[in-house]
Amino acid sequence: MIPTAHIEVKEQEIIAKTVLMPGDPLRAKFIADTFLENVEKFNNVRNIFGYTGTYKGRRISVMASGMGMPSIGIYSYELFKFYGVENIIRIGSCGAYTADLNLYDVILASEAWSESTYAKVQGGYDKDVIAASSKLNDKLEKIANDLGIKIHKERIHSSDVFYRENFEEYKDIYKNHGCTVVEMEAFALFHNAKVLGKNAACLLTVSDNLVTHELTTSEERQKSFTNMMKIALELAE
Ligand code: HPA
């Protein structure tokens, strides 16, 4: 069954058991260039770059997911189902729904709430909350603690829409569903892990605050996301 429609790898072994997934292909490249040794690039299809390398001597892969649930839905499904990948950790940015969260705070998703139909259409799952892997979350919490990096464990909102006509609706989602931040991929990733018997987690860095309207620049983001990446990279095996 390999190579698949969206990943041009002929041997499973080229991809590590644990894959970090930023949304942006250039962030995948940045992580490989900055943190990994013995790097091998394994994917170029649609410029969704994927790399395998070593971190402190242990293997790990990093591959972009693209933006949104349809996109991460495709890539994570192929990695889990056809390439023997066991763990995918999304590393991304999020908007905060509460003034209590500051720019650059690191969030660990306990679970994702979504109004998306992804899980229902993909596998008949008709609830709107899916948990992250507790096994991965326990490891990530311990790593963050050992590194002295504070993380906030939160229920997150996975949204299909970045630009809502009624911007203020985020307040209802915060109030009615308890989501404190918004991103656009985790719910589909967690669903795929669940139906395929694999593990998924999601670490996010706050890049904007919907209450205070604070924003980061893309240059600031690149630098400040280092904390989140260092936590995730420690999962290399
Ligand atoms: N909305 C959705 N996804 C995001 C946001 C946002 O405000 N910020 C970063 N990712």
Side-chain angles (χ1 to χ4, degrees):
M1 277 304 282
I2 61 174
T4 49
H6 307 90
I7 304 174
E8 56 190 353
V9 174
K10 295 193 185 71
E11 290 154 49
Q12 260 199 7
E13 298 69 41
I14 294 170
I15 306 181
K17 296 278 173 235
T18 299
V19 179
L20 307 188
M21 289 203 112
D24 178 358
L26 291 180
R27 183 148 310 128
K29 180 176 186 313
F30 174 83
I31 294 168
D33 289 346
T34 314
F35 297 106
L36 301 186
E37 293 177 298
N38 312 306
V39 175
E40 195 176 347
K41 190 180 197 187
F42 66 76
N43 199 52
N44 267 313
V45 180
R46 290 177 184 249
N47 286 339
I48 292 287
F49 306 142
Y51 307 85
T52 298
T54 56
Y55 182 71
K56 300 183 181 172
R58 285 131 48 199
R59 271 184 107 224
I60 193 157
S61 293
V62 51
M63 186 175 121
S65 68
M67 284 190 287
M69 288 184 258
S71 188
I72 200 167
I74 290 170
Y75 295 108
S76 62
Y77 195 91
E78 290 186 13
L79 288 171
F80 279 146
K81 175 104 181 170
F82 303 112
Y83 293 99
V85 170
E86 293 297 326
N87 311 303
I88 297 180
I89 300 90
R90 162 164 157 71
I91 44 175
S93 62
C94 63
Y97 283 169
T98 157
D100 296 343
L101 290 169
N102 297 313
L103 296 184
Y104 309 121
D105 279 355
V106 180
I107 311 292
L108 177 66
S110 54
E111 55 195 3
W113 174 85
S114 187
E115 64 278 80
S116 159
T117 56
Y118 183 88
K120 184 165 195 305
V121 174
Q122 198 287 328
Y125 181 82
D126 58 10
K127 300 194 190 77
D128 52 15
V129 175
I130 309 180
S133 153
S134 53
K135 190 173 103 184
L136 285 181
N137 274 8
D138 288 350
K139 283 190 189 171
L140 290 165
E141 281 185 281
K142 181 172 183 311
I143 292 165
N145 195 41
D146 291 348
L147 293 174
I149 301 170
K150 181 177 168 54
I151 52 173
H152 302 256
K153 206 170 175 190
E154 306 285 331
R155 173 187 276 201
I156 68 170
H157 175 205
S158 297
S159 178
D160 278 331
V161 179
F162 190 92
Y163 297 109
R164 282 177 184 260
E165 273 320 280
N166 182 359
F167 169 79
E168 301 279 318
E169 280 169 355
Y170 83 83
K171 293 178 183 165
D172 297 330
I173 297 169
Y174 175 59
K175 200 166 76 199
N176 299 334
H177 301 287
C179 305
T180 54
V181 299
V182 57
E183 55 84 65
M184 306 186 77
E185 290 84 13
F187 182 78
L189 172 64
F190 293 176
H191 172 77
N192 283 350
K194 191 170 141 83
V195 295
L196 296 170
K198 306 282 180 151
N199 312 302
C202 174
L203 278 169
L204 301 165
T205 300
V206 176
S207 64
D208 53 280
N209 189 303
L210 282 81
V211 185
T212 62
H213 305 289
E214 290 171 291
L215 270 182
T216 53
T217 64
S218 53
E219 199 186 333
E220 286 168 338
R221 276 207 291 278
Q222 185 117 35
K223 294 204 196 100
S224 63
F225 285 9
T226 306
N227 271 346
M228 169 177 74
M229 291 172 197
K230 282 192 173 153
I231 299 171
L233 282 161
E234 286 294 337
L235 290 176
E237 290 176 309

